[in-house]
């Protein structure tokens, strides 16, 4: 969908009866005051925005945006995209192993070779008491995966507190159910393509998520795409303001806190998540 064809985000009148989470209330008030398109732009590879320009255009307006790696080379971002074949050469050990739950310490290097080989063969995710055959939401640090030469997203301001990066391996048949996160997120695609379906925080009135801490699950809208499997879920999907796009290897997505998202893998994928520990940038400045 092109920008000119995108609809404006619609927001209901504020209710005195309904109690809102603060981030939902802030977004509703912002969208009433500022006409905002239901649209996720993809920056040109030649964009070369400064941190200040990025903050003004996207952080302050709670606007998701897709950023090609080439668009941030001027900020010394050197992370690259890979094919699985390339990664199998970087990590030549392909014997099966188990990746423990949680994460790895600063002095531990992870051998991703077995997981990459399993992903290449499109094996199913297997869980045991000890861990999984793929890293999923596995906390790492640059030393843990030093062969990948990962850089932090360049639009994170110096001094900002960030969670440890999370590694996500995804098979062609896996997906992530609709939810929203507490914190601003940069999702960096190293390999493959993920299809995202997102909705603004103001759609919480329809989705009615169940929240634990800052994580909110849209149980009534588990699948916000063609995989909705009940008449009620299909009806809710059709009423919800949604936008769908593909995030490809060599791109990162800035997704502001509170935005609902459903993710489907289009083939095997490897992604790195960088969540902020700070209060949402939009919320702090709303």
């Amino acid at each position: 969908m092109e920008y000119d064809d995108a609809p404006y985000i619609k927001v209901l009148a504020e209710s005195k009866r309904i109690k809102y989470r603060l981030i939902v209330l802030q977004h509703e008030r912002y969208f009433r005051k500022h006409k905002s398109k239901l649209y996720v732009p993809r920056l040109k590879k030649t964009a070369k925005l400064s941190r200040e320009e990025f903050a003004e255009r996207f952080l302050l307006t709670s606007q998701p945006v897709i950023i090609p790696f080439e668009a941030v080379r001027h900020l010394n971002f050197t992370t690259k995209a890979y094919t699985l074949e390339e990664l199998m050469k970087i990590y030549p050990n392909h014997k099966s192993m188990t990746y423990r739950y949680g994460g790895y310490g600063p002095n531990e290097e992870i051998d991703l070779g077995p997981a990459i080989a399993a992903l290449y063969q499109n094996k199913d995710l297997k869980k045991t008491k000890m861990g999984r055959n793929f890293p999923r939401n596995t906390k790492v640090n640059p030393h843990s995966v030093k062969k990948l030469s990962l850089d932090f997203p360049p639009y994170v301001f110096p001094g900002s507190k960030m969670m440890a990066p999370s590694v996500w391996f995804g098979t062609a048949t896996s997906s992530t159910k609709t939810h929203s996160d507490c914190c601003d997120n940069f999702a960096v695609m190293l390999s493959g393509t993920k299809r995202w379906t997102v909705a603004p925080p103001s759609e919480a009135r329809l989705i009615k998520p169940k929240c634990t801490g800052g994580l909110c699950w849209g149980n009534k809208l588990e699948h916000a795409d063609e995989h909705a499997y009940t008449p009620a879920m299909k009806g809710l999907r059709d009423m919800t303001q949604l936008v769908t796009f593909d995030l490809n290897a060599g791109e990162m997505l800035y997704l502001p806190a509170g935005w609902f998202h459903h993710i489907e893998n289009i083939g095997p994928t490897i992604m790195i998540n960088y969540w902020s520990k700070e209060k949402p940038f939009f919320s702090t400045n709303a």
Side-chain angles (χ1 to χ4, degrees):
M1 181 187 297
E2 297 298 328
Y3 178 82
D4 289 342
D5 298 325
Y8 286 101
I9 295 173
K10 297 177 182 178
V11 183
L12 297 173
E14 191 163 323
S15 172
K16 294 182 180 179
R17 295 186 302 105
I18 303 174
K19 291 185 178 180
Y20 302 90
R21 291 166 58 235
L22 178 60
I23 197 165
V24 173
L25 184 60
Q26 289 173 327
H27 276 85
E28 285 196 354
R29 289 173 176 172
Y30 180 84
F31 292 144
R32 289 190 195 99
K33 188 175 180 181
H34 306 275
K35 293 183 68 175
S36 302
K37 289 270 193 173
L38 185 62
Y39 179 73
V40 178
R42 178 176 268 106
L43 295 183
K44 293 182 178 179
K45 294 180 179 180
T46 56
K48 296 184 178 180
L49 297 179
S50 68
R51 290 184 178 90
E52 293 72 22
E53 289 172 323
F54 186 86
E56 183 176 353
R57 289 177 58 177
F58 303 109
L59 300 182
L60 287 173
T61 60
S62 189
Q63 172 63 62
V65 59
I66 300 167
I67 309 158
F69 290 0
E70 292 86 351
V72 285
R73 297 298 186 210
H74 67 295
L75 296 173
N76 299 317
F77 184 76
T78 62
T79 299
K80 61 169 289 187
Y82 299 92
T83 64
L84 292 180
E85 291 82 358
E86 289 173 331
L87 289 170
M88 289 173 72
K89 292 178 181 178
I90 296 172
Y91 290 95
N93 173 30
H94 302 152
K95 294 181 180 179
S96 62
M97 66 174 285
T98 298
Y99 297 88
R100 67 174 181 255
Y101 299 110
Y104 291 80
N107 298 318
E108 297 179 279
E109 186 174 357
I110 308 172
D111 185 358
L112 294 176
I116 293 166
L119 199 63
Y120 183 76
Q121 298 169 38
N122 202 31
K123 291 185 177 180
D124 292 332
L125 176 68
K126 294 181 180 179
K127 300 179 182 180
T128 68
K129 291 182 179 180
M130 302 301 295
R132 306 179 179 93
N133 58 334
F134 297 119
R136 284 185 62 80
N137 200 12
T138 302
K139 300 297 183 184
V140 298
N141 62 81
H143 177 79
S144 303
V145 287
K146 63 182 181 181
K147 291 182 180 180
L148 297 179
S149 301
L150 298 178
D151 293 326
F152 267 80
Y155 290 126
V156 174
F157 279 82
S160 297
K161 295 179 181 178
M162 302 292 291
M163 300 182 197
S166 295
V167 177
W168 296 84
F169 276 54
T171 64
T173 57
S174 61
S175 62
T176 303
K177 296 175 181 179
T178 304
H179 68 286
S180 67
D181 296 314
C182 64
C183 310
D184 292 338
N185 176 23
F186 286 90
V188 178
M189 285 300 299
L190 295 185
S191 187
T193 297
K194 286 182 180 287
R195 181 158 296 159
W196 292 65
T197 300
V198 305
S202 51
E203 290 300 87
R205 287 220 219 176
L206 281 175
I207 297 172
K208 297 179 180 177
K210 299 294 184 181
C211 300
T212 303
L215 183 61
C216 297
W217 290 98
N219 295 332
K220 295 182 179 180
L221 189 63
E222 286 185 351
H223 296 286
D225 58 6
E226 71 272 15
H227 299 295
Y229 55 84
T230 67
M233 192 179 298
K234 291 177 182 178
L236 181 56
R237 175 200 63 193
D238 294 343
M239 288 190 295
T240 304
Q241 298 177 91
L242 301 166
V243 59
T244 299
F245 56 88
D246 288 349
L247 187 68
N248 304 307
E251 297 177 328
M252 72 179 84
L253 171 69
Y254 167 63
L255 190 72
W259 277 74
F260 293 96
H261 48 291
H262 174 277
I263 310 169
E264 180 187 2
N265 290 316
I266 310 299
T269 62
I270 302 175
M271 181 180 75
I272 311 291
N273 265 126
Y274 298 85
W275 278 293
S276 172
K277 276 187 176 180
E278 309 276 1
K279 290 183 178 179
F281 198 96
F282 168 84
S283 181
T284 303
N285 293 275

